[in-house]
């Protein structure tokens, strides 16, 4: 950026920062004025010029400039432009300590408040039927009665619980009553409720290795001991779990698409896992986070559909099939445990917004949900192939790409001695997203690979362009 022919060096905007862009622009210009880099009377770029230079919305720049004007740092002079206030003698701002960036394993579960290329956990937000959603939202809001404005049911809206039960019976082969379905605010909330209802401090739980890091972090906070169980081409190696901790109280698995390797738990392993749970009065948590998305055949039946002894708790979510900011998920518990979960939820849950649940209920009931999943399944198959082809064209000598049979991400296995963690950090600094597979591993060093989402990569050309950015960072 230049002003009055003089170059001004401002630190770049951070797309992953918690601070919004307007605040970052405000802070950088204020610091430049306080440090003397910008002097009283100096002209600063117009809002229009800065909008073009930074590629941001005009309103973002106007908001930053309004703050600076209100605090007396700058003045608008019409056609003469905007200048640093003449005669200004700003005090140097008190230096604030830089926030400590935790580069440990706990950072892996972080999801930025933005849409970054390859960002994990995001569906194709550009293809969400917003017009239909807005119409249903307006209708549900107009239909609100005083009874809808009281405290929501902590178990979930009865109509939504019934729609979820009906959907699971048709799509996932799960036979359950609406009373067995509990609406939660997300996967972590579901796991927390399970821990409170069925586990106690010191209990042992099998976890897939590699596996989703937040699960073990959450259980650790509840003083539950986790037992890593290796995963191979057929999913969790149940025999290894039995060998390591035969009396464990629970196993948490992702049988449809193992997170993150994408393999499916074989029928033999499913039966072995159910047999172990039945013989030991143990529990199985089936995390079916994106079981609807399979591209080489029809979606696999849920593990819960094979449960004859009431040992499986099924955890689903609307984050991957609709959008994350809904903060809606659901938990299906065995019939014999309904009363226990009602007691726990009455104590520890506050309920989800009634209006949001009403919109989701209408979305499902009127058929939009099923049609949306069908559209996304087709779209994701296309974007998966385009992303894989584009990245292979650019990075073919440096990575081997696992095209998983389902799910929403690819695995880029790095060749040579490239560190997935270091490359992941460089990508995030460059405004790209990735997660390091080695950080999902509990035992051993683990493979060096990147996890990248493809659902928001709209074309082969976009994938190639992003691949070139990754190549420059290698």
């Amino acid at each position: 950026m230049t002003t009055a022919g003089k170059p001004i060096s401002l630190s770049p905007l951070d797309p992953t920062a918690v601070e919004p862009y307007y605040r970052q622009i405000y802070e950088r210009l204020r610091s430049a004025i306080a440090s003397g880099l910008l002097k009283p009377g100096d002209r600063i770029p117009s809002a229009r010029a800065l909008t073009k230079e930074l590629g941001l919305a005009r309103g973002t720049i106007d908001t930053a400039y309004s703050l600076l004007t209100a605090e007396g740092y700058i003045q608008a002079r019409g056609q003469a432009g905007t200048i640093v206030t003449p005669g200004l003698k700003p005090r140097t701002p008190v230096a604030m300590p830089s926030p400590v960036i935790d580069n440990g394993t706990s950072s892996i579960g972080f999801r930025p408040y933005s849409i970054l290329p390859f960002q994990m956990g995001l569906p194709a937000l550009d293809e969400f039927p917003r017009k239909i959603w807005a119409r249903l939202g307006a209708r549900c809001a107009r239909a609100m009665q005083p009874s809808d404005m009281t405290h929501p049911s902590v178990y979930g809206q009865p109509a939504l619980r019934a729609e979820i039960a009906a959907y699971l019976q048709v799509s996932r082969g799960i036979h359950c009553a609406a009373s067995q379905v509990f609406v939660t605010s997300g996967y972590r909330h579901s796991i927390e409720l399970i821990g409170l209802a069925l586990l106690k401090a010191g209990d042992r739980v099998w976890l897939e290795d590699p596996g989703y890091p937040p699960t073990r972090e959450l259980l650790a906070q509840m003083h539950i001991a986790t037992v890593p169980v290796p995963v191979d081409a057929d999913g969790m190696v149940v025999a290894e779990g039995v060998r390591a901790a035969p009396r464990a109280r629970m196993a948490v698995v992702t049988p449809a698409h193992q997170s993150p390797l994408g393999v499916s738990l074989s029928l033999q392993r499913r039966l072995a896992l159910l047999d172990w749970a039945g013989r030991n009065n143990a529990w199985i948590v089936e995390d079916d986070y994106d079981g609807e998305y399979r591209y080489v055949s029809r979606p696999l039946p849920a593990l819960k559909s094979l449960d004859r002894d009431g040992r499986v708790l099924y955890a689903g979510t609307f984050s991957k099939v609709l959008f994350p900011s809904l903060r809606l998920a659901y938990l299906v518990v065995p019939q014999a445990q309904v009363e226990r979960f009602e007691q726990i939820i009455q104590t520890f849950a506050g309920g989800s917004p009634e209006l949001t649940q009403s919109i989701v209920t209408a979305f499902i009931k009127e058929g939009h949900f099923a049609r949306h999943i069908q559209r996304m399944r087709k779209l994701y198959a296309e974007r998966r192939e385009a992303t894989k082809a584009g990245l292979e064209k650019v990075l073919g000598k440096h990575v081997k790409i696992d095209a998983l049979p389902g799910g929403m991400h690819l695995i880029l296995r790095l060749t040579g001695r490239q560190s997935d963690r270091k490359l992941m950090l460089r990508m995030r600094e460059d405004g790209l997203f990735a997660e390091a597979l080695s950080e999902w591993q509990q035992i051993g060093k683990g493979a060096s690979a990147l996890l990248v989402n493809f659902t928001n990569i709209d074309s082969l050309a976009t994938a190639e362009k992003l691949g070139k950015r990754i190549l420059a960072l290698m």
Side-chain angles (χ1 to χ4, degrees):
M1 183 175 79
T2 61
T3 176
K6 179 174 62 178
I8 297 297
S9 176
L10 296 179
S11 55
L13 302 183
D14 182 0
T16 66
V18 174
E19 284 187 332
Y21 283 131
Y22 81 86
R23 192 74 192 182
Q24 294 185 49
I25 295 169
Y26 162 81
E27 292 289 355
R28 284 153 178 73
L29 285 171
R30 189 183 72 161
S31 295
I33 295 171
S35 67
L37 187 62
L38 285 172
K39 296 180 172 55
D42 278 355
R43 184 173 177 176
I44 66 174
S46 67
R48 178 181 298 176
L50 201 57
T51 296
K52 184 177 181 180
E53 181 176 340
L54 297 179
L56 299 175
R58 174 66 180 268
T60 301
I61 310 299
D62 287 341
T63 300
Y65 276 23
S66 295
L67 281 175
L68 291 164
T69 301
E71 295 183 6
Y73 286 101
I74 62 175
Q75 292 180 356
R77 294 289 181 91
Q79 292 184 348
T82 301
I83 64 171
V84 178
T85 302
L88 179 68
K89 296 180 180 179
R91 292 175 295 177
T92 302
V94 177
M96 298 296 290
S98 299
V100 177
I101 299 176
D102 179 9
N103 288 329
T105 303
S106 61
S107 66
I108 295 304
F110 171 71
R111 298 288 184 266
Y113 309 124
S114 58
I115 306 173
L116 298 177
F118 304 123
Q119 186 168 323
M120 295 284 285
L122 288 183
L125 301 178
D126 59 321
E127 291 293 330
F128 184 77
R130 291 190 293 275
K131 289 184 178 179
I132 293 175
W133 188 264
R135 175 167 55 81
L136 294 176
R139 191 180 75 197
C140 290
R142 288 195 300 268
M144 284 180 64
Q145 299 297 315
S147 59
D148 301 317
M149 302 167 70
T150 61
H151 294 289
S153 168
V154 292
Y155 309 140
Q157 190 184 83
L160 179 56
R161 298 170 76 188
E163 290 296 334
I164 292 172
Y167 166 74
L168 292 177
Q169 182 166 340
V170 173
S171 68
R172 311 298 290 135
I174 298 174
H175 298 278
C176 63
S179 60
Q180 294 174 251
V181 179
F182 294 96
V183 177
T184 72
S185 62
Y187 169 74
R188 298 187 193 209
H189 184 207
S190 297
I191 292 294
E192 180 185 20
L193 293 175
I194 291 170
L196 292 168
L198 302 178
L199 300 175
K200 63 181 185 300
D203 280 347
R204 307 184 77 187
V205 174
W206 294 359
L207 295 184
E208 297 166 323
D209 189 27
Y212 189 49
T215 304
R216 64 177 183 263
E217 293 168 5
L218 180 57
L219 291 174
Q221 290 293 328
M222 301 173 73
H223 305 289
I224 306 298
T226 57
V227 180
V229 180
V231 173
D232 63 15
D234 290 322
M236 174 184 274
V237 184
V238 178
E240 286 297 315
V242 173
R243 183 190 61 79
R247 300 297 181 184
R249 293 291 300 136
M250 183 178 289
V252 181
V253 293
T254 50
H257 305 129
Q258 196 277 329
S259 177
L261 300 183
V263 299
S264 299
L265 189 64
S266 68
L267 178 59
Q268 183 179 1
R269 297 266 178 91
R270 292 177 185 228
L271 296 175
L273 187 60
L274 289 167
D275 179 66
W276 165 78
R279 286 187 291 103
N280 291 276
N281 291 321
W283 304 102
I284 301 169
V285 176
E286 177 178 12
D287 175 14
D288 198 22
Y289 63 104
D290 65 356
E292 290 87 355
Y293 298 132
R294 188 172 176 85
Y295 315 114
V296 298
S297 63
R298 292 181 61 81
L300 298 172
L303 175 64
K304 177 67 176 172
S305 68
L306 302 174
D307 182 24
R308 300 294 177 264
D309 298 323
R311 310 311 302 178
V312 178
L313 299 99
Y314 179 91
T317 178
F318 289 109
S319 291
K320 306 298 188 298
V321 290
L322 295 180
F323 50 92
S325 66
L326 275 178
R327 303 315 306 149
L328 280 184
Y330 50 91
L331 181 64
V332 180
V333 308
Q335 183 64 54
Q337 298 300 318
V338 168
E339 185 176 352
R340 172 61 177 162
F341 273 83
E342 288 177 346
Q343 293 170 350
I344 291 296
I345 290 171
Q346 286 172 7
T347 302
F348 292 97
S352 298
E354 189 81 8
L355 180 58
T356 301
Q357 293 186 70
S358 296
I359 300 171
V360 175
T361 301
F363 195 76
I364 299 173
K365 189 172 185 178
E366 297 180 15
H368 305 299
F369 186 69
R371 286 191 291 272
H372 178 62
I373 290 176
Q374 291 171 359
R375 285 184 59 246
M376 292 302 99
R377 192 178 293 141
K378 182 177 182 295
L379 177 70
Y380 290 170
E382 296 169 353
R383 290 189 172 184
R384 166 179 170 263
E385 290 305 313
T387 304
K388 181 174 182 292
L391 293 179
E392 282 182 336
K393 183 176 180 181
V394 177
L395 303 173
K397 295 181 180 180
H398 304 278
V399 303
K400 179 182 177 183
I401 301 179
D402 290 357
L404 309 178
M408 300 164 62
H409 71 274
L410 299 172
I411 300 177
L412 277 55
R413 297 190 180 274
L414 306 180
T415 59
R417 297 185 176 182
Q418 183 83 246
S419 165
D420 59 353
R421 182 168 181 74
K422 291 181 179 178
L423 181 55
M424 175 267 290
L425 292 173
R426 288 198 292 270
M427 287 177 64
R428 293 195 184 186
E429 290 172 357
D430 194 55
L432 301 176
F433 195 89
E435 294 192 7
L437 178 58
S438 62
E439 294 295 346
W440 291 50
Q441 195 93 25
Q442 295 185 67
I443 297 178
K445 183 179 179 181
S448 184
L450 296 178
L451 308 177
V452 295
N453 196 7
F454 59 76
T455 58
N456 285 290
I457 307 302
D458 59 4
S459 66
L460 176 68
T462 299
E464 289 183 17
K465 186 182 300 183
L466 295 171
K468 291 176 182 177
R469 289 175 62 182
I470 296 174
L471 183 62
L473 297 171
M474 283 184 163

